[in-house]
Amino acid sequence: MVQMLTGNGSLFYFNLSAMVGTGQANRMEDVELVRLGYFAVREGSIGATAELRAALQTELQALQVSGPFGPDLDAVIRAHQRHRGGTQDNCVSPIRGNVSQNGLLYDGTHNWIIGSLNNHIRVMMRDIFPRIDRHPRCGPVLAATIRTQFIGS
């Protein structure tokens, strides 16, 4: 199940329950969260997003905003890792460790990808975050999980 974390002061993050990528569990709510994050990159308006969007332009244009893990999402993840450096395992990993102590850095230099995607979602949905279930692009499995975690049904 997608999990909630707090860290970096008072910021709130959605975390994956398992890795998303080729050969991984690819739980639907995790995949939907990653897809939503890359949708936010594609549609984003912050400065860092413009550089990332340009670097991943081809892959982001081919990305489906819903559905299970597939070649379209795999291509975006691979391109994102090549662009940013750091671990090149072709997966988006859950944030591990103490977020409030280490921030979102997994090696002292690179942010967890899911942390970065959260930031893009937060900016795109600034009026409703963290209730991302209210956004029309939030997948149905993820939306149900978010509603359960926030309101219990």
Side-chain angles (χ1 to χ4, degrees), residues 4 26 42 104 113 117 129 138:
M4 296 180 258
N26 294 318
R42 186 170 75 192
L104 292 176
I113 288 177
L117 295 178
F129 191 88
C138 184

Side-chain angles (χ1 to χ4, degrees), residues 8 11 13 15 38 46 48 52 80-81 83-89 91-96 99 102-120 122:
N8 287 350
L11 291 183
Y13 295 93
N15 198 11
Y38 282 119
I46 60 176
L52 181 58
H80 190 185
Q81 285 188 336
H83 171 72
R84 67 191 290 276
T87 302
Q88 302 289 306
D89 61 1
C91 297
V92 178
S93 301
I95 297 168
R96 292 186 209 90
V99 175
N102 301 328
L104 292 176
L105 301 177
Y106 65 83
D107 64 357
T109 303
H110 297 93
N111 286 331
W112 294 97
I113 288 177
I114 193 61
S116 174
L117 295 178
N118 265 268
N119 292 336
H120 293 288
R122 183 180 293 107

Side-chain angles (χ1 to χ4, degrees), residues 48-141:
T49 302
E51 178 190 339
L52 181 58
R53 190 173 46 239
L56 307 181
Q57 181 177 14
T58 301
E59 293 83 0
L60 288 172
Q61 289 306 313
L63 179 70
Q64 301 297 311
V65 295
S66 63
F69 182 81
D72 62 321
L73 186 54
D74 180 57
V76 173
I77 293 168
R78 288 172 186 269
H80 190 185
Q81 285 188 336
R82 278 192 310 271
H83 171 72
R84 67 191 290 276
T87 302
Q88 302 289 306
D89 61 1
N90 306 317
C91 297
V92 178
S93 301
I95 297 168
R96 292 186 209 90
N98 186 336
V99 175
S100 59
Q101 183 179 41
N102 301 328
L104 292 176
L105 301 177
Y106 65 83
D107 64 357
T109 303
H110 297 93
N111 286 331
W112 294 97
I113 288 177
I114 193 61
S116 174
L117 295 178
N118 265 268
N119 292 336
H120 293 288
I121 293 169
R122 183 180 293 107
V123 169
M124 182 178 78
M125 298 183 194
R126 69 177 50 94
D127 294 337
I128 61 171
F129 191 88
R131 289 299 308 271
I132 63 175
D133 58 300
R134 294 180 175 173
H135 194 276
R137 295 293 188 186
C138 184
V141 177

